[in-house]
Structures are given as structure tokens and as C-alpha cells.
């Protein structure tokens, strides 16, 4: 999300600043030029800059030339330059992990420099300069988060990470083939397979955890809502960040279980510190520099990880969090009590479990999620005996490749459920929408999934020099998709005037892996959020038609690096406006992932829709005309006053409280897979 800086920024041109830049004045820098600069700053990031102007900037720009070009008086720039001059920064061509404290601090120093740049010349000058002097992984992370959050980069679209740093998304065997193609100057396409073999049951759902669009969604969420965010530093609050953390991972977990059910597998079992990690994992991937990602054998017991945590520490932290849920409050650092037995409690609990800088007491409650990622990622070499690099769990780009990721999040999801189930169920009065009745709920179009081939470039995967021409090298991977379909809802508005309604659509499997029908309360906890949107209901009959491709839960595929470059250069050459608004957010799930895979006989789901009072729900105005992706909040404001998953977020002791509501409707549908 591009956030607005709260202070007024003076518009100062490069000519008056004394900066070594021949860029146009900041007032003349249009979106196409910014997109061009971002494209080339991230293109071949391990090699020299391929744009002559940016290359010149990288060689001549002085980050400390004028503090007036920063909103923090240049403090971040001075701090980073001191680290650079003192030789303390991580060397180039070395692995980078956000979970490494020192490496994260260095990346965030660059992020702060970019975020506090008051004009585009300063932003791009710093980016070009530090691209030449900082570790490439730190640079990429800082650039992505800065472009996401800076007021200067609104409407700029980031290229897909799987084409910027392909090693994190592509099997080593394919990378080796790409190097051979480059050395022999042979235009090539290579087929990628999912890791493992069919002897491993987990391989049957690898298409979900290893989907590069899903990986992009996961890492993008953690860039939009980073655990390191501090309001006092950023000058901006991320609304309901802890609740968003809960919901995004809850949805990944229930969707993964739906994929397992589609493939005749039981739901994923939760991981626990005192239980054996049954499934091993061999990533079949390597760092660009630094060796292969470590493997983990089957049937591994958790071991202490040197310099990170003892297993007993994790058990203690878990116990403190469960005690807080049982008591209904968190104890803050100053000893005060933070009540969590209301609809805002999930937000506090999410901050505690992650733990983000928003946690009321990270010293006492620890960082269950963040530490668990490192603990699990290091089980292949917990004591550093083999000096292995970080595991896939220590990168948000690669974490979901490991099936243990979902076991880890099932474990935390069950903790969240303890809290949610401790809350008082909704009453009929809280759930009803007087004067509004759903007459009919149906779908049109096939609820049918299929696998298709997707191609992406490996141009940035191989070493390069300016003297050697590029040759097209790409890989083809299978991915899940589904046919377009629509939700059709017939609604009666008995009022004499228009009313604003929130339409909420969910689906959960009718039966579990043993063929036992889910109770309503278990079903709603396994509910996949299909859509949420706002409509104006006119008096009497209303027919709502909602296309699957318009779901607020999903976004378009990120366009290819080449597409972004071609569109950008066309706009600059033709002096036309660059319009990439369809791709400005990569925060949601890929829109081809809205439906679970299903199976050849048709996997049966309970589809439910509920209409609630939009005026009471809305946290911002004109939501029914909104076209921006804001499912997790836009510009720091979450649009819905109700909790994520409402009204299915609390336990249901008697399903009749829902089934007898006029504003609620449920039907059974089947999802087919024709692969």
C-alpha cells in the first residue's frame, strides 16, 4: 500500500540541490519514468546497471550532499553511509535472510533512506548508489518495501520476484540448465517439476505450496504488513495488522486443507514442540550465492537451535499465550491489562503471536511465529555443525514450499481458535439485517478447475556481462486455474429507500476426509472466504451478479518483467500515460486460486452468503464504488468495521440461529477437476 506522508514536502529540483543528477525536475517525473527507473534498478540485480543514466547516478550520487532532500534531515542516510565507510555492511554475493537480525537492520537502513527521500531524484539516486555498494538481497528487499510504502511510488508496479530472484522460486536442476543455455547461447525453455516424487504423499499438494503466485502473495503480505514496522519511525499506523496476520495465515491453512481433501489426504496435522516432525523436506533449490537450501530428514525431533532459542523456551512462550487467552487479557510491559475478550482482541493476539513491534509485551510473550520459522528452518543443522545457510522457512518467498509450513501455521491457527471460541457467540439481533431477505443463492458457469502451463523468464538467474548478448531462457511450470463463474444472489429490500449492504460469501467442505459431515461450527472454521463487497440495494427485487474474477480476495497475476519494460518504454517513446492500475497490488491470492482443486467426481462444498448492514459495517465512505484492492486495508485503513471472517468468526452453538435468518442463505455445490 502506498502510504501518504503526513508532513508537507517541499518540491525542490535537482538543479537547485547541488545533487549530481541530470534527471528532470521532480515535478516533471511521471509514472512512466519512475516505472522505467524501478525496472532497471531491479533488472539483473547481481550485475552492473544496464541504464546509462542510472549507472551514472550510481557512480556520482552523494547521499549526504544535502539533508534538505530528506524528511528526516538525512539521519538515515548518514547512518547507512557510516556503516558503509566503516566496512560493516554485508558483502555482496552472499545470502540474505530477513530473520537474520543484523542483515535485516542493514536492509531497513536502506529502506529508511528511500522512504525519507523527499523527491524522486533523491529516491532514485540513493537506490542507484546503494545498489552498487550493498548486498543484493538487502537491496531487493529494501527496494520492494520502499516502493510498496513510499508516497513517491504510487502507481508503480513491482516486477515479479520470481523473475528478479529466480533462484528462490526455481529448482536447482532447471537453474543449471539455464546456465548451460546461456553459455552456449541457446534459446531454451525448460520444464520445472514440483519437488519430491509421488512416493511422498505431500507431493500431491505441492502445486499449492510451490505455486509462484501463491509465494508472491505470501511474501507481498509480509512486505505490506512487516513485523518490524514502528509507527514512531514510519509516521503511519497499519490498521488491524495483528488481525490481518491471523486471517491471511488462517486462510492459507484452510485452503491447504481443502486442497488435501481434493487429493484424498487428511487435514494437515499441527506441529508441536514435543512431537516428531514426521515429514522431511528436500527443497531442490539453491541460493544464487551461498550453497543449497538445507534439507530436513523424516521423523526429526525438535532440537535447540544455537543462538536462536531452546525448545523449552518455545513451550514456555506458548503456555504464556494460552494462559492469556484463558484469562481474557494480555499483560502489557508496564503491567497494565489489555482486554482481548472483544472483537479487537484478535488484533492484539495477532501482534503477540507474530510478534510484531505492535506487541504489548514481546519481552514476556516472545515472538512465537518469527522464532518458530527459524527454529523449524534450522532443524537440518541446529548447532551450525555444517555451516549451512538458512532454510526455506527463513524466507517468506520460499516458506510455503515446505509442507511443515502449514503444520506450523495449523499449530498457531489452533491457538487463535482457542481465543475465538472463548468469545460469546453472536445473537440473532446482532446477525439480522431487518428488511433484507435473500431469496436465492446460486452459481452459474462451471465450478471446474484445471492445470495449465505457465512460463516465466530465467534471464536474471544466470551470470552476465554487457559484452554477451541476452538469449531467451525460461521455464514452464504447471499451475492450477479454474474457469470463470458467477455468484447470483436474489435479494428483497423491503425498505422504501436504497440501503447499503455488505455481501459476504464463504464456502467450506461438506464432509471431512473420513466422509463425516462437518458440523456448522466446524464447517465455518474451515470456511474459505470467497468474496466480500458492498452494494446498494434498491427497493424490492435486486439481482446481484458477481463475477469470480472480481473477487476482493484475489488479484491479477503480476505481469512479466518483459511486459512491464515493453509497456513502460512504449509510454516514454510515445509520450503517453502509463496505465498499469490492474497490477498495482500483488497482495491478494492469484484470482485463479479462488476455487480449491476439487476432484473428478465433484468435491461438495457448502456455499453460504450473508448480507449485513453496510452502513454499520463501513469504516470508509463510498465502498460500493471502490475499485481498489483493499481486502487487508488500503493506505493503512481497513474498510470493514467487522472482524475478518464475520459473522463466521465465532463459535456457533446452534446452527438454527443462522439458518433461520432471512439475510442468510446456504446451498451445496460441487467443484470438479478435469485434469
Amino acid at each position: 500500500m502506498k502510504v501518504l506522508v503526513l508532513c508537507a514536502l517541499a518540491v525542490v529540483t535537482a538543479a537547485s540541490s547541488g545533487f549530481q543528477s541530470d534527471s528532470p525536475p521532480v515535478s516533471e517525473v511521471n509514472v512512466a519514468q519512475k516505472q522505467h527507473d524501478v525496472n532497471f534498478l531491479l533488472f539483473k540485480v547481481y550485475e552492473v546497471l544496464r541504464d546509462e543514466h542510472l549507472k551514472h547516478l550510481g557512480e556520482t550520487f552523494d547521499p549526504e550532499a544535502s539533508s534538505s532532500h530528506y524528511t528526516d534531515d538525512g539521519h538515515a542516510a548518514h547512518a547507512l553511509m557510516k556503516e558503509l565507510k566503516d566496512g560493516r555492511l554485508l558483502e555482496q554475493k552472499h545470502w540474505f535472510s530477513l530473520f537474520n537480525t543484523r542483515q535485516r537492520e542493514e536492509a531497513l537502513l536502506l529502506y529508511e533512506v528511500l522512504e525519507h527521500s523527499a523527491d524522486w531524484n533523491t529516491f532514485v539516486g540513493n537506490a542507484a548508489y546503494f545498489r552498487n555498494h550493498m548486498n543484493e538481497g538487502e537491496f531487493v528487499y529494501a527496494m520492494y518495501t520502499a516502493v510498496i510504502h513510499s508516497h513517491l511510488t504510487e502507481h508503480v508496479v513491482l516486477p515479479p520476484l520470481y523473475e528478479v530472484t529466480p533462484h528462490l522460486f526455481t529448482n536447482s536442476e532447471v537453474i543449471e540448465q539455464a546456465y548451460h543455455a546461456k553459455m552456449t547461447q541457446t534459446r531454451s525453455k525448460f520444464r520445472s517439476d514440483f519437488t519430491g516424487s509421488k512416493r511422498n504423499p505431500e507431493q500431491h499438494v505441492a502445486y499449492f505450496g510451490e505455486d509462484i503466485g501463491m509465494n508472491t502473495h505470501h511474501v507481498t503480505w509480509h512486505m505490506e504488513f512487516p513485523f518490524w514496522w514502528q509507527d514512531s519511525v514510519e509516521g503511519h499506523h497499519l490498521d488491524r495488522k495483528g488481525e490481518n496476520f491471523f486471517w491471511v495465515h488462517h486462510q492459507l491453512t484452510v485452503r491447504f486443507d481443502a486442497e488435501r481433501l481434493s487429493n484424498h489426504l487428511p487435514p494437515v496435522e499441527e506441529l508441536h514442540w514435543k512431537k516428531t516432525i514426521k515429514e522431511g523436506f528436500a527443497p531442490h533449490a539453491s541460493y544464487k550465492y551461498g550453497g543449497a537450501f538445507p534439507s530436513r530428514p523424516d521423523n526429526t525431533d525438535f532440537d535447540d537451535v544455537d543462538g536462536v532459542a531452546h525448545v523449552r523456551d518455545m513451550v514456555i512462550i506458548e503456555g504464556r499465550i494460552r494462559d492469556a487467552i484463558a484469562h481474557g487479557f494480555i499483560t502489557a510491559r508496564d503491567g497494565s491489562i489489555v482486554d482481548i475478550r472483544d472483537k479487537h482482541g484478535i488484533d492484539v493476539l495477532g501482534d503477540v503471536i507474530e510478534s510484531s513491534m505492535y506487541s504489548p509485551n514481546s519481552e514476556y510473550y516472545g515472538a512465537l511465529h518469527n522464532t518458530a520459522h527459524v527454529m523449524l528452518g534450522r532443524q537440518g543443522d541446529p548447532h551450525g555443525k555444517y555451516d549451512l545457510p538458512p532454510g526455506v522457512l527463513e524466507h517468506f518467498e520460499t516458506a510455503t514450499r515446505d509442507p511443515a509450513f502449514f503444520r506450523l501455521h495449523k499449530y498457531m491457527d489452533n491457538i487463535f481458535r482457542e481465543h475465538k471460541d472463548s468469545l460469546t457467540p453472536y445473537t440473532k439481533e446482532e446477525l439480522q439485517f431487518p428488511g433484507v431477505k435473500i431469496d436465492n443463492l446460486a452459481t452459474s458457469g462451471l465450478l471446474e478447475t484445471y492445470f495449465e502451463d505457465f512460463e516465466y523468464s530465467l534471464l536474471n538467474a544466470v551470470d552476465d556481462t554487457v559484452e554477451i548478448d541476452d538469449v531467451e531462457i525460461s521455464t514452464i511450470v504447471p499451475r492450477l486455474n479454474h474457469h470463470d463463474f458467477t455468484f447470483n444472489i436474489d435479494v428483497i429490500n423491503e425498505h422504501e429507500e436504497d440501503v447499503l449492504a455488505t455481501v459476504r460469501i464463504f464456502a467450506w467442505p461438506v464432509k471431512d476426509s473420513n466422509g463425516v459431515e462437518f458440523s456448522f461450527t466446524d464447517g465455518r472454521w474451515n470456511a474459505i472466504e470467497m468474496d466480500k463487497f458492498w452494494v446498494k440495494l434498491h427497493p424490492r427485487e435486486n439481482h446481484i451478479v458477481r463475477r469470480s474474477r472480481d473477487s476482493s480476495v484475489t488479484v491479477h497475476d503480476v505481469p512479466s518483467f518483459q511486459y512491464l519494460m515493453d509497456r513502460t518504454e512504449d509510454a516514454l517513446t510515445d509520450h503517453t500515460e502509463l496505465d498499469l492500475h490492474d497490477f498495482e497490488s500483488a497482495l491478494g491470492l492469484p484470482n485463479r486460486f479462488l476455487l480449491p482443486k476439487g476432484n473428478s467426481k465433484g468435491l461438495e462444498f457448502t456455499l453460504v452468503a450473508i448480507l449485513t448492514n453496510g452502513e454499520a459495517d463501513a469504516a470508509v465512505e463510498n465502498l460500493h464504488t471502490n475499485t481498489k484492492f483493499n481486502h487487508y486495508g488500503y493506505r493503512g485503513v481497513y474498510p470493514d468495521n467487522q472482524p475478518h471472517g464475520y459473522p463466521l468468526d465465532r463459535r456457533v452453538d446452534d446452527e438454527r440461529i443462522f439458518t433461520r435468518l432471512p439475510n442468510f442463505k446456504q446451498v451445496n455445490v460441487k467443484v470438479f477437476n478435469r485434469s
Side-chain angles (χ1 to χ4, degrees):
M1 66 191 68
K2 313 301 194 290
V3 299
L4 297 176
V5 173
L6 301 182
C7 58
L9 301 178
V11 177
V12 185
T13 67
S16 64
S17 70
F19 278 26
Q20 297 91 332
S21 171
D22 52 5
S23 290
V26 64
S27 57
E28 298 177 11
V29 180
N30 58 28
V31 173
Q33 182 61 50
K34 293 179 180 181
Q35 185 70 56
H36 167 95
D37 292 343
V38 170
N39 287 346
F40 277 92
L41 284 164
L42 293 168
F43 183 64
K44 296 182 183 292
V45 73
Y46 289 94
E47 314 297 337
V48 298
L49 278 160
R50 298 304 171 91
D51 176 86
E52 287 303 317
H53 171 65
L54 293 175
K55 183 178 179 182
H56 176 70
L57 267 184
E59 295 167 349
T60 62
F61 187 83
D62 181 2
E64 297 183 289
S66 175
S67 60
S68 66
H69 285 261
Y70 298 98
T71 61
D72 67 342
D73 295 324
H75 292 312
H78 294 316
L80 183 53
M81 285 299 293
K82 180 171 175 53
E83 295 295 304
L84 176 62
K85 292 173 182 177
D86 290 346
R88 289 198 289 264
L89 296 181
L90 178 67
E91 66 266 29
Q92 293 188 325
K93 295 179 171 52
H94 187 286
W95 56 261
F96 160 73
S97 172
L98 190 67
F99 289 101
N100 181 293
T101 304
R102 172 60 188 176
Q103 293 178 6
R104 180 174 68 250
E105 290 171 349
E106 292 179 8
L108 294 186
L109 272 176
L110 177 55
Y111 164 80
E112 294 295 339
V113 171
L114 299 175
E115 180 68 9
H116 289 295
S117 295
D119 54 70
W120 185 248
N121 295 315
T122 308
F123 185 104
V124 75
N126 277 306
Y129 178 84
F130 287 110
R131 186 186 191 274
N132 289 342
H133 293 90
M134 289 189 69
N135 173 269
E136 298 87 352
E138 292 179 348
F139 173 79
V140 168
Y141 183 79
M143 272 294 293
Y144 267 75
T145 50
V147 170
I148 286 170
H149 291 284
S150 174
H151 71 286
L152 295 172
T153 50
E154 188 172 4
H155 306 307
V156 171
V157 174
L158 285 160
L161 264 171
Y162 49 80
E163 290 190 338
V164 174
T165 55
H167 283 73
L168 296 179
F169 300 87
T170 311
N171 287 358
S172 302
E173 300 89 339
V174 174
I175 297 292
E176 291 174 5
Q177 292 174 310
Y179 269 105
H180 178 76
K182 178 68 176 181
M183 288 187 290
T184 59
Q185 287 287 281
T186 306
R187 181 179 177 180
S188 304
K189 295 181 183 180
F190 305 107
R191 188 160 193 87
S192 290
D193 294 316
F194 300 120
T195 58
S197 73
K198 292 184 179 179
R199 293 184 180 89
N200 178 9
E202 297 300 322
Q203 203 267 349
H204 295 287
V205 286
Y207 66 84
F208 185 80
E210 296 183 34
D211 184 273
I212 56 177
M214 211 275 285
N215 300 152
T216 299
H217 160 61
H218 183 234
V219 68
T220 300
W221 187 93
H222 280 283
M223 288 176 175
E224 295 259 7
F225 298 94
F227 62 84
W228 46 260
W229 186 276
Q230 297 183 71
D231 292 354
S232 59
V233 176
E234 311 304 334
H236 176 72
H237 183 72
L238 298 178
D239 193 26
R240 292 166 67 165
K241 179 183 175 305
E243 183 183 7
N244 280 337
F245 169 80
F246 150 68
W247 187 248
V248 71
H249 292 97
H250 173 69
Q251 282 296 294
L252 287 180
T253 303
V254 298
R255 284 178 178 274
F256 185 62
D257 275 347
E259 300 300 338
R260 295 178 68 85
L261 190 59
S262 298
N263 290 279
H264 313 288
L265 295 172
V268 66
E269 294 181 10
E270 72 168 9
L271 171 150
H272 196 269
W273 307 110
K274 294 183 178 181
K275 294 182 180 179
T276 298
I277 309 169
K278 296 179 182 178
E279 298 90 3
F281 183 62
H284 285 244
S286 297
Y287 287 91
K288 171 78 171 176
Y289 301 101
F293 280 95
S295 297
R296 183 186 63 251
D298 284 344
N299 300 314
T300 300
D301 290 327
F302 268 109
D303 200 351
D304 299 339
V305 176
D306 293 355
V308 177
H310 296 285
V311 175
R312 68 171 182 270
D313 298 334
M314 305 306 292
V315 175
I316 291 170
I317 288 170
E318 176 195 335
R320 290 173 178 175
I321 293 171
R322 291 185 185 275
D323 281 348
I325 293 170
H327 286 98
F329 63 83
I330 297 289
T331 303
R333 291 183 186 89
D334 61 3
S336 61
I337 299 303
V338 181
D339 187 8
I340 61 171
R341 282 211 175 139
D342 57 25
K343 70 177 184 179
H344 302 295
I346 189 67
D347 191 39
V348 179
L349 192 61
D351 289 330
V352 165
I353 288 176
E354 189 175 13
S355 122
S356 74
M357 298 301 290
Y358 286 3
S359 173
N361 195 346
S362 58
E363 291 84 356
Y364 183 71
Y365 295 106
L368 185 65
H369 169 265
N370 292 352
T371 308
H373 264 263
V374 181
M375 290 283 286
L376 184 55
R378 298 281 180 88
Q379 288 307 304
D381 186 26
H383 306 298
K385 180 178 179 181
Y386 306 108
D387 195 27
L388 297 179
V392 295
L393 269 299
E394 295 174 75
H395 301 272
F396 291 128
E397 299 96 321
T398 58
T400 62
R401 292 169 65 97
D402 188 341
F405 168 89
F406 296 99
R407 292 193 65 196
L408 176 66
H409 278 282
K410 176 63 76 74
Y411 158 70
M412 283 178 276
D413 201 51
N414 287 342
I415 297 175
F416 281 120
R417 184 172 185 177
E418 281 186 30
H419 163 70
K420 281 289 190 177
D421 284 355
S422 73
L423 302 178
T424 304
Y426 294 114
T427 64
K428 174 185 175 182
E429 289 70 29
E430 290 173 309
L431 295 172
Q432 61 189 4
F433 189 4
V436 172
K437 177 184 177 182
I438 300 177
D439 253 3
N440 187 54
L441 169 64
T443 60
S444 58
L446 294 173
L447 299 184
E448 185 174 283
T449 68
Y450 57 92
F451 284 92
E452 64 180 8
D453 284 343
F454 177 71
E455 182 178 350
Y456 66 93
S457 173
L458 296 179
L459 197 61
N460 288 339
V462 296
D463 292 324
D464 207 355
T465 66
V466 293
E467 291 80 17
I468 301 176
D469 291 336
D470 284 331
V471 59
E472 290 184 23
I473 307 171
S474 61
T475 185
I476 298 171
V477 296
R479 66 177 192 176
L480 187 67
N481 203 340
H482 61 76
H483 295 292
D484 288 340
F485 63 94
T486 60
F487 297 110
N488 301 294
I489 311 173
D490 294 322
V491 182
I492 303 295
N493 173 17
E494 297 175 349
H495 298 273
E496 295 300 320
E497 67 280 343
D498 290 352
V499 296
L500 182 65
T502 313
V503 182
R504 306 171 190 273
I505 305 175
F506 302 89
W508 65 77
V510 171
K511 297 177 181 177
D512 66 16
S513 58
N514 292 316
V516 178
E517 189 167 335
F518 279 113
S519 66
F520 191 96
T521 195
D522 284 338
R524 59 93 204 172
W525 185 256
N526 288 281
I528 295 170
E529 186 176 25
M530 304 297 289
D531 207 347
K532 177 175 67 179
F533 57 96
W534 284 263
V535 295
K536 278 287 182 71
L537 297 176
H538 304 301
R540 293 174 291 282
E541 294 87 2
N542 292 262
H543 183 58
I544 300 171
V545 178
R546 179 73 167 184
R547 300 185 304 175
S548 59
R549 66 176 61 184
D550 295 328
S551 169
S552 68
V553 176
T554 65
V555 295
H556 296 284
D557 276 332
V558 180
S560 71
F561 216 145
Q562 191 62 54
Y563 177 89
L564 290 177
M565 286 187 157
D566 290 344
R567 289 283 300 273
T568 302
E569 300 316 305
D570 288 346
L572 288 173
T573 300
D574 300 337
H575 303 287
T576 56
E577 182 179 349
L578 178 65
D579 181 11
L580 296 169
H581 72 274
D582 282 343
F583 311 110
E584 287 183 30
S585 177
L587 183 58
L589 281 166
N591 52 21
R592 57 188 172 78
F593 255 29
L594 186 60
L595 286 180
K597 172 176 166 281
N599 57 41
S600 59
K601 295 181 179 180
L603 186 61
E604 196 169 18
F605 284 83
T606 298
L607 179 70
V608 305
I610 184 165
L611 271 62
T612 57
N613 188 328
E615 295 292 347
D617 294 343
V620 298
E621 296 180 353
N622 299 319
L623 277 168
H624 61 290
T625 64
N626 177 68
T627 58
K628 289 191 176 293
F629 181 89
N630 63 1
H631 190 66
Y632 295 100
Y634 180 68
R635 294 192 175 181
V637 178
Y638 184 71
D640 191 354
N641 280 322
Q642 302 295 353
H644 272 304
Y646 175 84
L648 302 179
D649 60 308
R650 297 191 183 185
R651 74 176 194 271
V652 179
D653 295 335
D654 188 337
E655 66 181 82
R656 290 174 296 181
I657 197 170
F658 274 89
T659 56
R660 292 177 179 178
L661 287 171
N663 54 314
F664 175 86
K665 198 76 172 179
Q666 71 177 54
V667 295
N668 283 1
V669 296
K670 288 185 177 181
V671 179
F672 294 88
N673 177 260
R674 304 298 190 187
S675 299

